[in-house]
Amino acid sequence: EFRRVLFRSGAGDDSVDGASGNDTAKAVELLCAGELVALPTETVYGLGADAANPLAVAKIFAAKGRPADHPLIVHLAEATAADQWAQLVPPFARDLMRAFWPGPLTLILKKQAWVPSTVTGGQDTVGLRVPGHPVALELLRRFATAVGGPAGIAAPSANRFGRISPTTAAHVAEELGERVPLILDGGACAVGIESTIIDCSRGLPVVLRPGHVLPQHLEAVLGMRPEIETAQGAPRVSGSLDAHYAPMTPMRLVSADRLLDFLNAQRHRGGQCAVISHSQLPQAGMPHVWRMLPADPEAYAQQLYAALREMDHAGADIIVVETLPAATSELC
C-alpha cells in the first residue's frame, strides 16, 4: 500500500508552494518502478509514466480508459533533451523552443526509431514539451538524473477519457481515485487549459490544437502566422476529439443577448440550469445555479475547467455557458 495523495493543509487556498523534495523523490521512485504519478503543470494536471517504458505507458491508457491509438505528449526537463526523442528538429522548431519553453507549447516532430509506439499512437511523430511548473520541472530533472538515458514523462490530462481536465490535485483524486499511486499537489494550474500543439514534422509549422499560446504570439517568433489544420493527413494529437473535455451534463453555448430569454424559457419548462457567465449577473428569482467568471480572456480560461466541473456536480438539467469573451475562443 503505497498510495499517498498530497493535499496541502492550511486555509483551503489553492495558492500553494509545491510538493516537497521527499514527495518528488517518492514520485521518481514510482516512475522508475513503472508506476503512475499525477503531476501538476501550468496547463492542467497530468497522469505521468516513464515514456520509455511501454508497460508503464500502457497503465496510463488503462487508468484513463483511453483508446490505445491516441498519442501522448512527452514532457522533458529541458529543450536539449528533444534531440533524444526527435530525429529531426527544424530551425523554426528550435526558435519556438527558445521562445516558449518552459511553457504551454507542444511540438510534433519526427520521432527517433526507438520511441515506443504506445506513446505515439503508432505514428512516426512524437509530441514534446517542457512544462512551465516548478514541481513538474523538479520531478523531470530528478527523473532524468535517475534514469541516466533518454528521460521523459508521458502525461495526458489526469482524468477519465473525454472528461473535464483537472486543474487541482483534488480534481485528480475525484477523477482517478485509487488508479494513481501518488498525486503531487502543486496548487491550482496557472493556465488552466491545454497547451497549443504545433506540427513541426511537415516542413512548415501548423497549429493542430489551439491553446494558451496564441497565433499572434507564434507569428512574433516565426515571422508568419501558422495555418490551423484539422484535415486528414495531419498527425493525430492529444485532445483533438470533439468529445474531449466534456461535462456529463448536457451543455449549451448561448449568446449574451439571448441568455436571459433562454434561461426564462428553461424556467417556464420547470428545468434548472447551471449557468456560467462573464457579463450577465445572476438574476433574482431564477432557480438556477450561477457562476460568474472574469471577462479577461486569460483569467476566464484559467477558471473555465474548474467552473465546468462545479456546474457538472450542481444537479442541473443543462449547463448554459454565455458566449466566450472576445479572444477566449482563440485560447480554447
Side-chain angles (χ1 to χ4, degrees):
E1 176 59 42
F2 52 78
R3 182 176 189 273
R4 293 188 300 150
V5 179
L6 303 173
F7 298 118
R8 230 166 306 278
S9 60
D13 189 343
D14 276 329
S15 178
V16 293
D17 297 324
S20 73
N22 289 338
D23 301 333
T24 308
K26 179 62 176 177
V28 170
E29 178 185 328
L30 289 169
L31 290 170
C32 290
E35 298 295 341
L36 302 179
V37 170
L39 63 147
T41 77
E42 79 282 23
T43 57
V44 300
Y45 274 71
L47 182 61
D50 179 359
N53 181 342
L55 293 179
V57 171
K59 293 180 181 180
I60 294 176
F61 291 93
K64 285 176 61 71
R66 181 184 176 104
D69 64 346
H70 283 232
L72 305 177
I73 294 171
V74 178
H75 295 69
L76 307 175
E78 55 186 15
T80 56
D83 293 300
Q84 298 176 319
W85 297 81
Q87 61 174 275
L88 177 64
V89 181
F92 71 82
R94 295 198 189 275
D95 291 339
L96 292 171
M97 291 176 187
R98 282 189 289 270
F100 299 110
W101 284 4
L105 183 71
T106 296
L107 303 182
I108 305 297
L109 298 158
K110 291 291 185 182
K111 75 178 185 73
Q112 293 276 8
W114 70 267
V115 177
S117 61
T118 47
V119 170
T120 66
Q123 301 178 113
D124 64 353
T125 55
V126 63
L128 304 174
R129 91 175 182 101
V130 177
H133 192 290
V135 174
L137 287 173
E138 178 66 16
L139 175 62
L140 285 159
R141 289 165 185 153
R142 289 191 179 206
F143 181 59
T145 299
V147 170
I153 297 177
S157 55
N159 54 278
R160 288 168 289 162
F161 179 69
R163 297 279 283 116
I164 302 167
S165 297
T167 55
T168 69
H171 295 164
V172 180
E174 175 189 325
E175 281 285 324
L176 298 177
E178 298 295 331
R179 298 181 185 187
V180 55
L182 178 67
I183 302 171
L184 292 177
D185 184 357
C189 297
V191 171
I193 58 171
E194 278 74 7
S195 62
T196 303
I197 297 181
I198 305 291
D199 181 16
C200 301
S201 69
R202 296 179 293 161
L204 291 174
V206 177
V207 177
L208 299 184
R209 184 181 73 184
H212 186 73
V213 178
L214 298 177
Q216 56 265 37
H217 302 149
L218 298 167
E219 184 177 12
V221 174
L222 299 170
M224 56 169 284
R225 182 164 294 208
E227 295 182 6
I228 298 176
E229 180 178 344
T230 56
Q232 281 193 332
R236 299 188 311 278
V237 295
S238 294
S240 58
L241 297 181
D242 291 341
H244 260 86
Y245 318 135
M248 299 295 290
T249 309
M251 189 174 74
R252 177 80 175 266
L253 194 67
V254 179
S255 62
D257 61 340
R258 293 189 57 245
L259 182 62
L260 292 183
D261 289 340
F262 183 87
L263 295 177
N264 274 316
Q266 293 295 313
R267 180 184 62 177
H268 290 314
R269 294 190 188 103
Q272 186 184 50
C273 301
V275 185
I276 297 175
S277 68
H278 59 86
S279 68
Q280 181 62 62
L281 294 172
Q283 299 297 298
M286 282 194 174
H288 305 310
V289 182
W290 207 291
R291 172 75 181 269
M292 287 286 295
L293 294 186
D296 172 73
E298 290 195 6
Y300 183 99
Q302 192 270 336
Q303 297 180 35
L304 176 60
Y305 283 161
L308 284 172
R309 186 175 293 272
E310 177 187 335
M311 296 297 99
D312 206 16
H313 292 329
D317 302 298
I318 186 172
I319 298 173
V320 180
V321 180
E322 181 185 354
T323 305
L324 305 182
T328 308
S329 57
E330 290 187 287
L331 289 169
C332 50

